[in-house]
Amino acid sequence: MKSLTINASQRESVGKKATKALRNAGKVPCVVYGGDTIIHFAAEEIAFKKLVYTPDVHTVVIALDNGIKVNAILQDIQFHPVTDKITHIDFVQIFDDKPITMEIPFRTVGVSKGVLNGGVLRYNLRRIKVKGLASKLPDVIEGDISNLKIGNKLLVTDIASDDFTILHPDNTVTCQVRTSRNAVVEDEEEEEESAAPAEA
């Protein structure tokens, strides 16, 4: 999984006045949980642009001005209700030997037989919730839809991996090929005949 580095400064004062002063200076107050101690820090709002305003997921290296570096993932983010500016971010510290829970983007690969016959591909999930070691989590989870006919579904069990555990019920549908007005009825008898060996 890709990683971003955010240069930040550790903050000692965490009261309302100090927080307001940070925001007025264009900085975002943040907190990292999950380690031996809670770390309060702040960084320029622009530093979070590639982390927040993207469909991709990343781990984060928080490089503090005192030389400490913390590996983390974004846990929660708050925006101003009027301006939509980032007002606060929570991170969770990650470790090489401890699994984490994340939502990974899902996309399909291949061309569905049903779509070629006029069906429509519908997504039920755009992100898959998984648990695993950060070093083994992918940037994107892919599902092959090449064999999906009209009415067929791709379940989370079809995209399972030894590298992570999917935290959805086994019968959860990731996507499916639905019929449409332009759909052509797939003639399975013709397929069987074409597959049968010719008589001598």
Side-chain angles (χ1 to χ4, degrees):
M1 181 177 290
K2 297 175 184 176
S3 180
L4 293 174
T5 298
I6 293 176
N7 296 313
S9 56
Q10 192 162 358
R11 56 193 181 107
E12 304 299 333
S13 300
V14 294
K16 289 185 179 180
K17 287 185 178 181
T19 300
K20 185 177 181 180
L22 283 172
R23 291 175 179 145
N24 289 340
K27 295 185 177 182
V28 179
C30 305
V31 180
V32 182
Y33 299 99
D36 294 332
T37 59
I38 296 175
I39 300 173
H40 297 269
F41 70 94
E44 299 286 344
E45 185 175 8
I46 194 172
F48 302 102
K49 184 177 180 181
K50 292 183 179 180
L51 176 65
V52 176
Y53 303 106
T54 175
D56 300 330
V57 292
H58 302 85
T59 57
V60 179
V61 177
I62 301 167
L64 299 174
D65 53 1
N66 58 8
I68 295 175
K69 291 185 177 181
V70 180
N71 294 317
I73 56 169
L74 191 153
Q75 178 75 14
D76 186 49
I77 185 168
Q78 297 173 20
F79 296 92
H80 191 281
V82 177
T83 65
D84 276 342
K85 283 193 171 187
I86 303 171
T87 59
H88 192 272
I89 301 180
D90 288 342
F91 291 89
V92 174
Q93 188 169 353
I94 58 177
F95 302 89
D96 293 338
D97 58 345
K98 292 183 179 180
I100 59 174
T101 299
M102 290 192 74
E103 289 189 344
I104 308 294
F106 168 71
R107 73 180 179 196
T108 57
V109 293
V111 179
S112 162
K113 293 179 179 179
V115 171
L116 289 176
N117 283 323
V120 179
L121 181 66
R122 302 289 188 190
Y123 282 87
N124 292 58
L125 291 177
R126 292 286 183 176
R127 287 176 174 260
I128 309 295
K129 192 173 184 179
V130 302
K131 185 176 183 179
L133 297 177
S135 60
K136 291 191 173 183
L137 294 183
D139 297 326
V140 176
I141 295 176
E142 295 181 338
D144 188 354
I145 60 170
S146 302
N147 294 321
L148 291 189
K149 298 179 181 179
I150 293 174
N152 288 168
K153 302 172 182 179
L154 192 74
L155 303 178
V156 291
T157 50
D158 297 319
I159 56 173
S161 171
D162 293 335
D163 290 336
F164 52 81
T165 301
I166 296 177
L167 302 179
H168 296 275
D170 288 348
N171 61 351
T172 301
V173 177
T174 62
C175 62
Q176 57 188 314
V177 179
R178 304 281 293 275
T179 188
S180 70
R181 292 182 179 179
N182 299 323
V184 176
V185 176
E186 296 167 308
D187 192 340
E188 295 185 0
E189 291 183 1
E190 287 186 4
E191 290 182 6
E192 291 175 1
E193 289 176 4
S194 63
E199 294 183 2

